[in-house]
């Protein structure tokens, strides 16, 4: 396999979410698992294990207030000492009673101010952690027609987004995430990529769109959205996960590995895999019933496999077949790559990086899982705390 492919795989950077290491679940039950972190430091320590065995996940995103600490510089140093760094800062304006009718879109200006203050606090935290991105997902929406003015809520949203934009430093960005439904079930104020894109264009170059792969209507062609936003220079990040039905937040590539390949194919074709492409490849998942660190390691490996398959696509043959209108020929070029077993290649690349060819087995052998179960007794386990 070409050196270019190997080099791209060695240089891949995937950002893991601190909240994936805490307890999570559904409205029916949040299952507690032994050894789960009790604080941001333990979450970062677990995330560092994923990087230790995969070599390609040196960034951990935080969620505020789930990862609130007194000293964010110290937390960033703690992460650095473990060989990782703090990435995106995720705001949370979806877990306060005041936000029942919305946060930045709430009819009540007092509530809007409170929500905006939290968003601005997240930018302050970015200054302390050295993070580039604040990630904004709003649970804001309505459940019944007539509940509120769709247009007025867009005015309020735009006003808050502008205020955050003005606060950003030169090298900072805001990433706007959209979601079709849940927790609102009639309108979401940022329901789709078009709405997020329109707000980001109006805001300016430091505003980019986040594609969470679980936030679309069934059957949505997500790679079309990827290709379109890439062309517009407005794709800022992915929240990778997979789903069979709704926002299931399952391991990326688990439910639909072919979709993940098609997405990474668009990325590779646009030469957007490079670390300086400005696109964050983040995981946004919940390991409700499976062990969390192995779940993250498996997820990172799924992204690596989809990426490797996309990197081995014979671009010249594909281009020639497309140019010739050879429909089956073009499709065959892509399927040949997708149907190629890239696991031996990835095992070799890991060996080149001085890592075990089998991260899952290496982690299992490490005894870390048993160590944290023994050590982490007492205290309040981390979780969504919904
Ligand atoms: C909303 C979402 C958002 C996060 C949350 C953890 O569904 O995808 O990205 O803030 O999950
Ligand atoms: Mn998300």
């Amino acid at each position: 396999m070409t050196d270019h492919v190997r080099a791209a795989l060695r240089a891949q950077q995937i950002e893991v979410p601190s909240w994936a290491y805490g307890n999570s679940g559904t409205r029916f039950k949040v299952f507690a698992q032994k050894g789960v972190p009790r604080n941001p430091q333990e979450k970062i320590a677990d995330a560092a294990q994923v990087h230790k065995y995969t070599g390609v996940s040196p960034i951990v995103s935080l969620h505020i207030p789930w990862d609130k600490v007194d000293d964010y510089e110290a937390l960033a140093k703690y992460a650095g000492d473990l060989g990782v760094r703090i990435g995106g800062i995720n705001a949370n304006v979806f877990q306060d009673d005041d936000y029942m009718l919305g946060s930045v879109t709430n009819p009540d200006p007092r509530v809007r101010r409170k929500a905006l203050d939290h968003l601005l606090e997240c930018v302050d935290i970015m200054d302390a952690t050295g993070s580039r991105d604040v990630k904004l997902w709003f649970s804001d929406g309505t459940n019944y027609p007539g509940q509120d003015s769709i247009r007025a809520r867009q005015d309020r949203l735009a006003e808050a987004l502008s205020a955050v934009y003005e606060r950003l430093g030169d090298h900072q960005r805001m990433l706007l995430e959209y979601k079709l439904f849940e927790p609102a079930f009639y309108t979401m104020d940022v329901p789709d990529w078009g709405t997020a894109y329109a707000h980001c264009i109006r805001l300016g170059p430091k505003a980019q769109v986040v594609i969470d792969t679980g936030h679309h209507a069934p059957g949505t062609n997500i790679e079309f959205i990827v290709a379109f936003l890439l062309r517009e220079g407005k794709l800022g990040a992915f929240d990778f996960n997979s789903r069979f039905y709704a926002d299931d937040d399952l391991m990326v590539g688990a439910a639909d590995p072919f979709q993940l390949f098609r997405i990474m194919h668009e990325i590779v074709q646009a030469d957007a895999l490079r670390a300086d492409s400005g696109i964050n490849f983040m995981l946004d998942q919940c390991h409700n019933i499976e062990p969390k660190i192995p779940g993250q390691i498996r997820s990172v490996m799924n992204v690596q496999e989809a990426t490797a398959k996309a990197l081995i696509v014979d671009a010249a043959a594909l281009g020639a077949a497309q140019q010739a209108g050879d429909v089956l020929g073009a499709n065959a070029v892509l399927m040949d790559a997708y149907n190629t077993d890239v696991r031996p290649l990835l095992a070799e690349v890991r060996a080149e990086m001085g890592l075990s060819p089998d991260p899952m087995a290496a982690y299992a052998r490490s005894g870390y899982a048993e160590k944290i179960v023994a050590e982490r007794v007492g205290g309040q386990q981390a979780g969504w705390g919904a």
Side-chain angles (χ1 to χ4, degrees):
M1 209 50 70
T2 66
D3 290 349
H4 158 69
V5 169
R6 292 167 182 275
L9 291 170
R10 287 194 298 271
Q12 186 162 33
Q13 297 208 327
I14 297 162
E15 181 165 332
V16 299
S18 67
W19 54 97
Y21 303 95
N23 288 325
S24 57
T26 70
R27 59 184 167 174
F28 299 105
K29 174 67 175 159
V30 170
F31 297 102
Q33 294 187 27
K34 291 189 172 44
V36 154
R38 284 84 49 92
N39 53 52
Q41 289 79 5
E42 291 180 346
K43 295 177 196 175
I44 290 172
D46 290 0
Q49 288 290 303
V50 176
H51 183 51
K52 179 176 179 182
Y53 295 101
T54 66
V56 294
S57 61
I59 317 165
V60 186
S61 32
L62 300 184
H63 218 297
I64 309 298
W66 298 340
D67 299 316
K68 194 172 187 49
V69 293
D70 301 334
D71 185 339
Y72 287 100
E73 272 100 0
L75 190 68
K77 174 141 183 357
Y78 177 84
D81 295 346
L82 289 173
V84 296
R85 69 179 190 275
I86 294 178
I89 303 299
N90 287 260
N92 181 334
V93 285
F94 54 87
Q95 285 189 315
D96 186 303
D97 290 338
D98 277 343
Y99 300 145
M100 185 166 71
L101 300 179
S103 65
V104 295
T105 64
N106 195 294
D108 180 342
R110 179 192 64 77
V111 175
R112 298 202 295 273
R113 182 71 243 178
K114 175 180 176 177
L116 178 56
D117 288 344
H118 171 71
L119 305 183
L120 297 174
E121 179 204 354
C122 287
V123 183
D124 297 341
I125 293 170
M126 288 160 66
D127 293 343
T129 59
S131 299
R132 176 185 59 178
D133 299 323
V134 60
K135 186 157 126 295
L136 305 179
W137 171 70
F138 297 101
S139 60
D140 294 44
T142 63
N143 275 358
Y144 299 99
Q147 174 184 331
D148 197 352
S149 158
I150 293 173
R151 184 186 178 101
R153 293 174 74 92
Q154 288 301 310
D155 295 340
R156 299 163 196 157
L157 172 66
E159 188 185 327
L161 293 174
S162 299
V164 175
Y165 194 90
E166 292 320 306
R167 167 67 183 79
L168 293 174
D170 294 346
H171 306 295
Q172 295 177 330
R173 303 187 304 176
M174 55 194 291
L175 303 177
L176 183 58
E177 184 175 356
Y178 58 88
K179 184 174 182 178
L180 182 65
F181 76 99
E182 189 203 39
F185 298 106
Y186 171 54
T187 67
M188 290 286 280
D189 293 299
V190 188
D192 55 29
W193 72 272
T195 306
Y197 174 60
H199 278 288
C200 288
I201 285 183
R202 188 188 291 267
L203 289 160
K206 292 191 277 187
Q208 305 272 66
V209 178
V210 179
I211 297 179
D212 184 312
T213 47
H215 288 186
H216 305 82
T220 299
N221 186 321
I222 298 176
E223 59 271 24
F224 173 88
I225 301 170
V226 172
F228 185 93
L229 291 175
L230 276 171
R231 184 171 172 277
E232 298 295 321
K234 275 298 185 191
L235 177 59
F238 287 98
D239 266 8
F240 276 143
N241 50 63
S242 70
R243 50 82 168 279
F244 290 103
Y245 303 104
D247 190 18
D248 308 350
D249 280 342
L250 299 172
M251 292 189 295
V252 60
D256 191 344
F258 186 40
Q259 180 187 64
L260 181 60
F261 162 73
R262 300 192 313 265
I263 289 171
M264 294 313 291
H265 172 61
E266 293 304 329
I267 291 290
V268 169
Q269 281 207 110
D271 193 20
L273 191 61
R274 303 182 325 282
D276 62 6
S277 71
I279 297 167
N280 288 9
F281 298 92
M282 300 186 288
L283 304 182
D284 179 6
Q285 299 175 176
C286 297
H287 302 287
N288 298 346
I289 61 173
E290 70 268 27
K292 301 167 189 296
I293 297 169
Q296 287 277 290
I297 292 173
R298 179 70 258 173
S299 302
V300 169
M301 293 169 67
N302 287 353
V303 176
Q304 288 183 296
E305 288 172 21
T307 305
K309 290 174 185 241
L311 284 166
I312 64 174
V313 169
D314 183 338
L318 181 65
Q322 290 170 340
Q323 217 37 58
D326 177 0
V327 174
L328 293 178
N331 176 252
V333 171
L334 215 61
M335 295 314 291
D336 286 349
Y338 179 66
N339 293 322
T340 301
D341 184 355
V342 293
R343 293 172 294 183
L345 164 65
L346 285 164
E348 288 167 16
V349 167
R350 293 184 188 111
E352 290 164 8
M353 297 166 78
L355 301 171
S356 159
D358 181 346
M360 294 290 275
Y363 172 74
R365 279 196 305 274
S366 74
Y368 186 86
E370 294 77 12
K371 182 170 85 71
I372 56 179
V373 167
E375 287 174 359
R376 296 176 182 172
V377 178
Q380 175 62 47
Q381 289 194 324
W384 280 42

